Amino acid sequence: MSEFATPSNRNRKSKDLIRVNDLVKYFPVRAGVLKRTVAWVQAVDGVSFTIKEGETLGLVGESGCGKSTVGLTILRLLDATSGTVEFDGQDVFSLNKKALKTMRRNMQIVFQDPFASLNPRKPINDAIIAGLNIHQIGSPKERADLVIQLLRKVGLEDYHANRYPHEFSGGQRQRIGIARALALQPKFIVCDEPVSALDVSIQSQVLNLLCDLQDDFGLTYLFIAHNLSVVEHLSDRVAVMYLGKIVELAPKVELFRNPLHPYTKALISAIPLPKPKAKKEQIILQGEVPSPLNPPSGCRFHPRCPIAIDACPLSEPEFREHNPDHWVACFNTEPIQVS
């Protein structure tokens, strides 16, 4: 069994590793004795983006906007309603069961809740080694040695292999989840809000670990979060989602320096400043997030938008390139005072 890949033999390239095109995922709402479908929850509605090899794309937005559904659908843990996802040139949705099993070695996930994602009745050795057993990688001794190697890599000790999930803190359990995701030497990992359930003091440790692992193994991340400060720390580019659609996509520095969509501006204005006495004007959005069961017509953000114009409720704005590599879906990109 080969050792982990290092930057010397897994070079980062500029090619697209992930290509998502017009991804749609609707969930049926059933009612009545016959459980007939009476409505659809439009969780993800026409999402498109790419992720380059070795890159981290941050996916941000309020809870319920469809971020996690995007990640789960890309990995085919959920079946898409329509659209395509390509991994390294292969159509993920067209793969048969055998080919999908092989593909899963290259696409892994770190879940949000580090306790719920681990079996409380089994030691963590079993959790980490499960993928190796399924794919029949290495001999039993090689698998056991790899578990120890992974534990050391994520900052845990050898003897932790025989302990149970309840014996670890939240941060340690998330490190175990990261080790499990690394076991099959993947190229791409979906990080589904991996630090949102952790204490602030532990979040930075886990984020730094993810950065170090990306440098060591040439990993590509889709980093899902609702905390823009976390995304700013880790991401190369950032996509902002609202009610199932991406409303803005840009390189990290460009997005935080020059946000164009009013929703992005509101999110950035809500980031706490490190100095308690510093003053900052915050954009307060009116109303509640509409239901994905019955999203607004036209631009989905227009009922809460402070700069909405007459065209907003009538037609959906085109997702266009406003500046080089800076995409936005908005009819009115007039500046809003944020600072």
Side-chain angles (χ1 to χ4, degrees), residues 17 22 59 64 92 94 104 116 128 148 157 176 183 209 211 267-268 279 289 309 320 334:
L17 184 67
D22 201 22
L59 187 60
V92 176
S94 68
R104 291 203 189 282
I128 298 174
I148 298 303
E157 302 295 335
I176 295 166
L209 173 62
C211 290
L267 292 179
I268 292 176
K279 294 183 179 180
V289 179
I309 60 177
R320 60 189 177 88
E334 293 298 321

Side-chain angles (χ1 to χ4, degrees), residues 6-15 52-56 210-221 236:
T6 61
S8 61
N9 57 24
R10 184 188 281 180
N11 297 320
R12 295 187 183 185
K13 300 178 182 179
S14 59
K15 72 173 183 178
K52 294 187 180 298
E53 194 170 44
E55 181 187 36
T56 298
L210 290 171
C211 290
D212 292 341
L213 293 172
Q214 184 175 41
D215 291 336
D216 290 345
F217 305 139
L219 297 171
T220 302
Y221 292 146
D236 298 302

Side-chain angles (χ1 to χ4, degrees), residues 256-257 259 265-266 268-271 273 278-283 335-339:
F256 283 88
R257 183 180 59 191
K265 296 175 183 180
I268 292 176
S269 75
I271 299 175
L273 294 175
K279 294 183 179 180
K280 181 179 183 181
E281 182 178 345
Q282 184 174 347
I283 300 171
I336 299 177
Q337 187 176 356
V338 176
S339 57

Side-chain angles (χ1 to χ4, degrees), residues 235-250:
S235 301
D236 298 302
R237 290 186 301 140
V238 180
V240 181
M241 278 194 75
Y242 183 80
L243 208 60
K245 290 184 175 290
I246 292 180
V247 297
E248 189 163 3
L249 173 63

Side-chain angles (χ1 to χ4, degrees), residues 121-332:
R121 298 183 179 181
K122 293 186 177 181
I124 64 164
N125 175 79
D126 290 10
I128 298 174
I129 211 170
L132 300 172
N133 292 336
I134 290 171
H135 291 274
Q136 299 180 343
I137 298 174
S139 66
K141 183 180 184 306
E142 287 175 327
R143 296 172 194 173
D145 291 343
L146 182 56
V147 170
I148 298 303
Q149 181 186 347
L150 287 166
L151 289 176
R152 292 173 181 173
K153 196 66 184 177
V154 299
L156 297 176
E157 302 295 335
D158 298 5
Y159 61 84
H160 286 146
N162 296 316
R163 291 191 173 182
Y164 289 80
H166 72 272
E167 299 180 78
F168 296 92
S169 67
Q172 288 175 320
R173 286 196 290 265
Q174 196 58 288
R175 290 172 184 268
I176 295 166
I178 294 171
R180 179 176 58 185
L182 289 172
L184 296 176
Q185 302 185 36
K187 295 179 180 179
F188 173 63
I189 297 179
V190 173
C191 301
D192 186 10
E193 303 203 39
V195 298
S196 63
L198 307 179
D199 293 339
V200 174
S201 59
I202 305 301
Q203 287 184 9
S204 60
Q205 297 178 19
V206 174
L207 290 174
N208 290 335
L209 173 62
L210 290 171
C211 290
D212 292 341
L213 293 172
Q214 184 175 41
D215 291 336
D216 290 345
F217 305 139
L219 297 171
T220 302
Y221 292 146
L222 174 63
F223 190 88
I224 299 168
H226 59 264
N227 186 330
L228 265 73
S229 299
V230 170
V231 170
E232 186 178 13
H233 175 75
L234 194 71
S235 301
D236 298 302
R237 290 186 301 140
V238 180
V240 181
M241 278 194 75
Y242 183 80
L243 208 60
K245 290 184 175 290
I246 292 180
V247 297
E248 189 163 3
L249 173 63
K252 173 183 65 178
V253 175
E254 169 69 12
L255 185 95
F256 283 88
R257 183 180 59 191
N258 181 33
L260 297 177
H261 198 279
Y263 179 61
T264 308
K265 296 175 183 180
L267 292 179
I268 292 176
S269 75
I271 299 175
L273 294 175
K275 297 181 180 180
K277 294 183 179 180
K279 294 183 179 180
K280 181 179 183 181
E281 182 178 345
Q282 184 174 347
I283 300 171
I284 306 298
L285 298 177
Q286 302 300 317
E288 299 293 330
V289 179
S291 170
L293 272 169
N294 186 27
S297 61
C299 174
R300 295 188 175 187
F301 185 63
H302 84 263
R304 307 174 69 195
C305 182
I307 58 171
I309 60 177
D310 293 342
C312 295
L314 300 178
S315 58
E316 184 177 330
E318 179 187 1
F319 191 62
R320 60 189 177 88
E321 191 172 19
H322 188 275
N323 296 320
D325 207 23
H326 191 158
W327 297 75
V328 64
C330 183
F331 291 117
N332 188 359

Side-chain angles (χ1 to χ4, degrees), residues 25-41 293:
K25 176 59 182 176
Y26 290 176
F27 293 96
V29 178
R30 295 186 171 91
V33 177
L34 300 178
K35 298 297 181 182
R36 292 175 176 171
T37 300
V38 296
W40 294 90
V41 176
L293 272 169

